[in-house]
Amino acid sequence: METDQLIRTLAADTRQRPWPVGLVLAVALLAAGLVSIAMFSAALGVRPDVMSAMHNPFFDLKFVVTLALASSAIVVGLHLSRPEATLRGWAWLLLIPLLFLAGGIGCEMLLPQPVPMMTRMIGKNWSVCLVAIPALSLPLLAAALIGLRHGASTRPAVTGAIAGMLSAGLAATLYASHCTDDSPLFVATWYTIGTALLAVIGAVAGARVLRF
Amino acid sequence: MREREDDWTALMRAAISGDGAAYHRLLKAVTPVLRAAAKRGLARAGQPVDQSEDIVQDILLAVHLKRHTWDANAPFAPWLFAIARNKLIDSLRRRGRRVFVNIDDFAEVLPGEAAPETAPATEVAAQLQSLPVRQRQVLQSIAVESASIKDTAKKFAMSEGAVRVALHRGLASLTAKLREH
């Protein structure tokens, strides 16, 4: 086919306006969110004392951290879905959840604690946490990759890693409502391991599926 | 140069809001620039420059299918060159070369630089044959026979909407096949 012929063909295909990347991502994440919620309700469920736990600022902080992770990763991921985008000036957004976490750890240090530090860090649920966050993340990771695939990232592995962090942030939000370990030290350890794992899986998958 | 790029941005804005003629003019205008850059990139990588037209068509398809990722408030040229660079690197990589693509390949093009002879592109034409019959017929009718959507619809006893869908799907699967290839 001559290039002129191709150009004519492309110019004929302008009536349909493609969806913006953000919209595709939102729809995909909503659908996958329902799957993850179903998995969560079937296997774990919200902790029984949730009403009183909400009065504990360290319980609430878990959601601030996980939602900050999810939303900053969504913003950075959407930014990277444009071909000319670089991480410069945007990567710091991903530090926001870590700042909340560091603040939480600092506050906890200042308060008198009945349980020693190592016990708070190891917690009771670390093994559940290590399985639950990645498992709940997988449908969300698939959705994030589908959404971002609609974009045109010229850094597919990095964008995939961001998709992994995004899915871990959302999955951890669900998991946090089940887990009775509220210490920021626990979150900083086990949630971070889960998030890092998902970032690696996302990078490997992204390098394959986000190329365009 | 700046003026040219402002023209491109204005044309792309019109194109995004459904102006097919502006879109056609824009693609015609950027093609020689892409061709010259593709030739330079191939030459630099020690590859025969007669593959440049395949790369140009690859870039044009990507521009078309990813046009929604262009931010209408941003200039068009950096977006275009980012896609072009990505496609050039990709195609050199597929040919098994260490890749050094200079950003300048896409940044400075002498204004009036024309590409005298152009080697025929073969990849799109080859992949066209592997499309489902309907998509291939519609693409060929519009591309090769330069029929309008309306005439194509009449010829194959399809609705215009169905022709548009077949056209769009055909272009998308063509791009997917080029990527796998």
Side-chain angles (χ1 to χ4, degrees):
Chain A
M1 193 189 290
E2 304 269 332
T3 300
D4 278 352
Q5 296 175 332
L6 178 67
I7 290 176
R8 185 163 45 207
T9 314
L10 298 180
D13 180 39
T14 48
R15 197 60 65 83
Q16 282 176 323
R17 236 164 132 180
W19 281 21
V21 182
L23 187 58
V24 177
L25 181 64
V27 171
L29 284 177
L30 275 177
L34 294 178
V35 175
S36 292
I37 289 173
M39 287 165 66
F40 172 76
S41 317
L44 301 170
V46 175
R47 60 195 258 188
D49 65 340
V50 65
M51 292 317 275
S52 59
M54 278 194 281
H55 298 297
N56 173 3
F58 290 113
F59 176 76
D60 302 333
L61 179 69
K62 296 196 290 185
F63 298 93
V64 174
V65 171
T66 57
L67 288 172
L69 172 64
S71 37
S72 59
I74 286 174
V75 171
V76 175
L78 284 177
H79 170 70
L80 284 180
S81 72
R82 293 168 45 195
E84 78 275 37
T86 64
L87 268 182
R88 200 177 309 151
W90 292 76
W92 65 270
L93 282 173
L94 298 169
L95 296 177
I96 295 175
L98 292 180
L99 290 179
F100 282 122
L101 206 45
I105 291 173
C107 289
E108 202 195 40
M109 294 286 182
L110 295 177
L111 295 170
Q113 295 292 335
V115 204
M117 201 171 102
M118 279 310 282
T119 316
R120 279 180 277 140
M121 190 176 90
I122 304 294
K124 298 187 208 79
N125 295 302
W126 64 271
S127 57
V128 182
C129 176
L130 275 188
V131 177
I133 291 183
L136 296 173
S137 291
L138 287 179
L140 293 158
L141 174 61
L145 290 173
I146 288 170
L148 293 174
R149 199 181 142 85
H150 188 60
S153 174
T154 45
R155 282 170 183 69
V158 176
T159 310
I162 303 284
M165 293 164 74
L166 186 173
S167 66
L170 293 175
T173 306
L174 284 176
Y175 174 73
S177 71
H178 165 81
C179 186
T180 50
D181 288 305
D182 296 331
S183 167
L185 286 170
F186 181 90
V187 176
T189 311
W190 305 108
Y191 286 39
T192 306
I193 293 175
T195 305
L197 178 67
L198 259 297
V200 171
I201 297 175
V204 172
R208 299 183 65 89
V209 304
L210 294 180
R211 289 175 51 229
F212 71 93
Chain B
M1 185 99 120
R2 169 109 342 261
E3 208 171 299
R4 179 192 73 185
E5 296 186 356
D6 287 346
D7 286 349
W8 289 357
T9 306
L11 284 173
M12 188 60 171
R13 274 200 200 113
I16 291 286
S17 44
D19 182 345
Y23 192 42
H24 191 263
R25 260 173 56 212
L26 172 69
L27 296 179
K28 289 285 263 187
V30 301
T31 296
V33 179
L34 297 176
R35 188 177 290 135
K39 283 187 173 167
R40 260 199 310 277
L42 283 167
R44 203 185 295 257
Q47 291 281 302
V49 293
D50 60 3
Q51 296 163 346
S52 63
E53 211 55 20
D54 281 323
I55 297 177
V56 169
Q57 297 196 355
D58 209 13
I59 298 171
L60 289 171
L61 277 165
V63 163
H64 180 66
L65 293 172
K66 297 298 182 185
R67 62 192 190 279
H68 57 276
T69 65
W70 177 61
D71 172 1
N73 297 313
F76 177 68
W79 179 88
L80 172 70
F81 293 149
I83 288 195
R85 199 153 49 233
N86 193 54
K87 283 293 174 187
L88 177 58
I89 292 171
D90 221 41
S91 90
L92 290 174
R93 204 171 271 156
R94 268 185 284 147
R95 292 173 172 89
R97 291 287 151 158
R98 292 278 298 139
V99 185
F100 301 99
V101 177
N102 195 327
I103 291 178
D104 295 341
D105 281 349
F106 291 100
E108 337 166 333
V109 173
L110 299 175
E113 180 177 347
E117 77 263 38
T118 299
T122 54
E123 285 179 359
V124 169
Q127 294 303 327
L128 195 56
Q129 299 310 316
S130 62
L131 290 185
V133 186
R134 229 331 99 87
Q135 292 177 12
R136 192 180 69 223
Q137 284 174 336
V138 166
L139 273 176
Q140 266 167 346
S141 166
I142 291 168
V144 184
E145 296 150 36
S146 46
S148 65
I149 295 226
K150 204 171 179 181
D151 294 341
T152 306
K154 213 172 287 168
K155 186 161 41 169
F156 299 121
M158 298 163 75
S159 70
E160 287 184 31
V163 170
R164 286 183 196 286
V165 170
L167 172 62
H168 187 76
R169 291 210 178 131
L171 290 171
S173 46
L174 206 52
T175 307
K177 282 176 192 299
L178 285 174
R179 189 171 43 223
E180 289 159 20
H181 177 62

